[in-house]
Amino acid sequence: MGDAPGSPSRATSPPGQVARLDRVVIRFAGDSGDGVQLTGDRFTSATASFGNDLSTLPNFPAEIRAPAGTLPGVSSFQLHFANHDILTPGDEPDVLVAMNPAALRANLGDLPRGAEIILDSDEFTARALTRAGYARSPLEDGSLDAFRVRSVALTTLTVELLKDSGLSRKEAERAKNMFALGILSWMYHRPTAETERFLRAKFAGRPEIAEANVAALRAGWNYGETTEEFAVRYEVAPAARAFTPGVHRNISGNLALSYGLLAAAHRADLPLYLGSYPITPASDILHELAKHKSLGVRTFQAEDEIAGIGAALGAAFGGSLAVTTTSGPGMALKAETIGLAVSLELPLVVVDIQRGGPSTGLPTKTEQADLLQAMYGRNGEAPVPVIAACTPADCFDTALEAARIALTYRTPVILLSDGYLANGSEPWRIPDVAELPDLRVAFATGPNHTLSDGTEVFWPYKRDPKTLARPWAVPGTPGLEHRIGGIEKQDGTGNISYDPANHEFMVRTRQAKIDGIDVPDLEVDDPSGAAELLVLGWGSTYGPITEAVRRLRAAGRRVAQAHVRHLNPFPRNLGQVLRSYRKVVVPEMNLGQLAALVRAEFLVEVRSCTQVNGMPFKAAHLVTAFQEAIDG
């Protein structure tokens, strides 16, 4: 099963009854200061512990604090949860929780007819309506007649509840998001005990704030249970799919990537070093890894992007598993040092959490437009392996794979994620350590070459005949002194060389090393074996593509699907796969970058399906595009 079309939460039941649903999409929306992200995160955590499959889409404004009540300041959090396997946060919300008029106006266009709207009626004042661009109140002009509207005086109820708490009115008002969470928790049978523990831990320094939020959460639950406004409850049973045996937890892409880097360092038996400069949406990785000094992690928040990668490359020279994290603008600044890492042939993981560009662009929105930059954004012939994660949980495995390639082949590796994966979340099975790959490497310990006169010496550029990797010599090891720097090296000796023939040999050898990286063949999902259309994807388009393909197959259409993790070098069977289908469509959140690479490399015609609006694809959009491709 997949993300079933339709809107099951619009089903009706007699008052006091329970309506059983197979899936629900809920969107919380409000000002940046309304605690929308926290509310969504807590509802998601409760949903994960309940056993539903889920997918989330947090959506942030770019401004740190836009003017209150305005459209640019609207923040939202969308959660899709179900009793079956799902892959996307949903195309459209079944329920919108709007904390003010701006939140309603910014999100109303995404709602299908019959959707449920829960709003804070206290916020629909004349001033707030004007700020949101309303000439008349939507509660009175009939514009909401197509929806089921539940008006709740969230602010009044919360302030009245906390009048004897000792908190100021402003502090009391901030707990209204927990009142709303309580209502939703009652409506959908979500447990609240975990949220109460979270609140007491989060506000341990101010217990009066913690207890106020707990009281608001419980009051919201009781309000739902006692008021006639919410007479119908909904039940979404735990996921019926067979989860892989083991312990599961909900995880975001950036957290999974952080854990993947920790696991890689452990399996390589190397210290982990992160040199980074804060940038949206990559900063969470720096924040997370900074918590793990007890595991031998060193984190350095540099003064700029160049210093961050420079420090990381120095750590790689010193024998650490070195990482630097950034987004598109930072990739441009790091380009010269990535080229230096190519020349030095040292292992370095460069993580690019892509966002909308160019320049500052859309810093809190998602995009896949850094692929060509990752492939070619350096001077000279500086080939670098490029891999991409496809789901939030997959970021863990992709981090391990990036470390494997970097350590085995002594090369910088670019790992591509994006804002959608970084901030989105899904269930993840915590792996046993024994399942993880052995990434241990052997450092150079002594001479590795014998001269014609019998003298034994260390040649820093004498290569492994299988991988073409050069030795990794930790500085300070007696007898292994050698030059480093960006000027071309002589093959073998590593001495500075301006010889044209040597330069050509080194350039071609570095390219051959990357071309020879061992990557698995591309797997194709083609159940019928008779599909004429192949949908080729990469990165975070995996969920929407897979859901669209499932819908078409359910309608009797034959569609094949393949998803590319290794973008440089490509899987060796990719050309054969492409030539096996009469039509190929490549959906991307850019203007067709993978499509251009595929056309150039394999001389096959592919159809691009592109989108650059800062949001992930909707499955319904892709269904239409794939249908048009099938029908010619």
Side-chain angles (χ1 to χ4, degrees):
M1 298 181 69
D3 306 8
S7 300
S9 68
R10 298 196 293 274
T12 58
S13 279
Q17 298 297 308
V18 174
R20 289 176 172 81
L21 310 173
D22 64 351
R23 53 172 288 276
V24 176
V25 179
I26 298 176
R27 183 182 296 176
F28 300 90
D31 266 339
S32 295
D34 284 336
V36 167
Q37 301 300 325
L38 175 64
T39 305
D41 178 74
R42 289 296 89 209
F43 195 88
T44 298
S45 181
T47 298
S49 65
F50 189 73
N52 296 117
D53 198 11
L54 61 90
S55 180
T56 69
L57 177 62
N59 191 8
F60 311 94
E63 289 76 12
I64 294 174
R65 193 69 171 97
T70 63
L71 295 182
V74 173
S75 174
S76 69
F77 187 105
Q78 184 162 306
L79 165 67
H80 183 191
F81 61 101
N83 64 3
H84 57 271
D85 177 25
I86 59 173
L87 297 163
T88 77
D91 284 359
E92 52 189 20
D94 304 308
V95 182
L96 172 66
V97 181
M99 305 298 280
N100 61 21
L104 176 66
R105 189 174 183 201
N107 293 279
L108 190 62
D110 293 337
L111 300 183
R113 292 178 63 87
E116 190 161 8
I117 300 174
I118 301 172
L119 51 83
D120 183 2
S121 57
D122 288 329
E123 293 295 323
F124 281 70
T125 63
R127 182 181 180 186
L129 290 167
T130 300
R131 280 191 172 186
Y134 280 112
R136 295 180 56 196
S137 172
L139 303 181
E140 301 169 356
D141 64 6
S143 61
L144 302 181
D145 288 350
F147 310 102
R148 293 186 294 147
V149 180
R150 317 289 191 192
S151 295
V152 182
L154 288 175
T155 302
T156 299
L157 289 169
T158 305
V159 171
E160 178 64 22
L161 170 73
L162 301 177
K163 64 181 180 181
D164 298 323
S165 66
L167 300 179
S168 67
R169 178 182 175 87
K170 185 176 182 180
E171 289 175 323
E173 285 184 8
R174 289 176 179 165
K176 69 179 182 179
N177 64 323
M178 289 297 106
F179 197 105
L181 179 59
I183 293 175
L184 268 292
S185 298
W186 177 84
M187 287 178 64
Y188 291 96
H189 291 80
R190 302 295 96 177
T192 59
E194 181 182 342
T195 296
E196 292 187 13
R197 288 192 295 270
F198 170 85
L199 291 169
R200 290 191 171 104
K202 179 177 177 64
F203 299 108
R206 293 200 62 186
E208 70 279 12
I209 296 290
E211 294 310 314
N213 278 276
V214 169
L217 178 68
R218 293 177 176 177
W221 177 285
N222 294 333
Y223 182 87
E225 192 168 40
T226 56
T227 183
E228 294 183 1
E229 187 73 21
F230 297 96
V232 179
R233 302 181 74 187
Y234 304 98
E235 183 176 286
V236 182
R241 70 173 181 170
F243 280 98
T244 306
V247 179
H248 291 75
R249 59 158 292 170
N250 187 51
I251 199 165
S252 68
N254 273 352
L255 184 58
L257 205 154
S258 301
Y259 287 173
L261 294 171
L262 286 167
H266 174 76
R267 295 298 286 171
D269 196 21
L270 295 174
L272 178 63
Y273 184 94
L274 174 66
S276 183
Y277 179 75
I279 184 172
T280 301
S283 300
D284 288 342
I285 302 171
L286 173 61
H287 299 159
E288 180 60 33
L289 291 180
K291 301 175 184 177
H292 299 291
K293 293 180 177 63
S294 62
L295 299 178
V297 180
R298 298 285 189 275
T299 54
F300 170 52
Q301 180 173 318
E303 64 268 28
D304 55 41
E305 295 281 4
I306 299 171
I309 190 172
L313 185 57
F317 178 60
S320 293
L321 175 56
V323 182
T324 188
T325 54
T326 189
S327 191
M331 285 291 289
L333 294 168
K334 294 179 188 294
E336 183 177 4
T337 308
I338 295 174
L340 176 59
V342 171
S343 176
L344 295 179
E345 300 189 47
L346 286 171
L348 176 66
V349 177
V350 180
V351 178
D352 177 10
I353 312 296
Q354 300 166 95
R355 70 189 204 189
S359 189
T360 306
L362 303 177
T364 60
K365 309 302 180 184
T366 195
E367 204 164 87
Q368 287 182 295
D370 294 352
L371 176 56
L372 294 182
Q373 181 187 29
M375 290 285 291
Y376 304 120
R378 294 164 295 283
N379 66 296
E381 293 289 345
V384 172
V386 181
I387 64 175
C390 67
T391 71
D394 183 58
C395 289
F396 177 87
D397 296 316
T398 307
L400 282 163
E401 176 66 357
R404 178 191 74 85
I405 295 173
L407 295 172
T408 301
Y409 297 91
R410 312 286 198 269
T411 179
V413 176
I414 296 177
L415 190 167
L416 296 176
S417 177
D418 61 45
Y420 171 36
L421 296 183
N423 298 313
S425 61
E426 66 178 352
W428 171 64
R429 185 183 71 85
I430 302 174
D432 293 331
V433 175
E435 300 173 5
L436 304 179
D438 185 348
L439 301 179
R440 287 174 294 181
V441 297
F443 289 109
T445 57
N448 63 356
H449 183 75
T450 304
L451 300 177
S452 58
D453 63 0
T455 304
E456 292 186 335
V457 297
F458 174 66
W459 276 13
Y461 280 83
K462 184 173 183 177
R463 301 179 182 278
D464 180 289
K466 181 179 179 181
T467 65
L468 298 182
R470 78 173 186 91
W472 193 0
V474 176
T477 307
L480 303 189
E481 296 84 359
H482 60 282
R483 285 187 174 88
I484 62 170
I487 299 178
E488 185 63 276
K489 312 297 186 299
Q490 184 182 57
D491 176 44
T493 69
N495 296 329
I496 291 175
S497 173
Y498 296 98
D499 178 60
N502 177 78
H503 177 61
E504 173 132 358
F505 177 82
M506 293 295 278
V507 168
R508 293 186 182 278
T509 299
R510 287 189 289 262
Q511 183 65 58
K513 181 175 69 170
I514 304 308
D515 292 342
I517 290 173
D518 180 25
V519 303
D521 280 348
L522 182 67
E523 296 183 2
V524 181
D525 177 21
D526 185 1
S528 70
E532 291 190 347
L533 174 67
L534 170 69
V535 181
L536 184 71
W538 72 277
S540 66
T541 57
Y542 174 79
I545 288 174
T546 304
E547 169 55 21
V549 168
R550 288 177 176 179
R551 293 187 190 180
L552 286 171
R553 288 175 181 170
R557 307 310 296 264
R558 294 172 177 174
V559 185
Q561 176 187 356
H563 213 76
V564 183
R565 166 181 279 183
H566 295 85
L567 296 155
N568 190 38
F570 282 132
R572 285 166 176 75
N573 68 332
L574 177 56
Q576 178 185 350
V577 168
L578 293 171
R579 288 186 284 270
S580 299
Y581 293 89
R582 194 165 68 87
K583 301 175 181 179
V584 179
V585 174
V586 182
E588 302 180 75
M589 292 187 295
N590 56 48
L591 297 183
Q593 297 186 15
L594 178 60
L597 292 172
V598 166
R599 292 188 191 104
E601 179 75 15
F602 302 107
L603 302 180
V604 296
E605 181 51 43
V606 299
R607 174 184 294 193
S608 285
C609 175
T610 62
Q611 173 177 298
V612 283
N613 62 5
M615 298 296 288
F617 278 108
K618 292 183 177 180
H621 172 90
L622 294 180
V623 166
T624 301
F626 301 163
Q627 186 74 56
E628 290 175 352
I630 293 172
D631 295 338

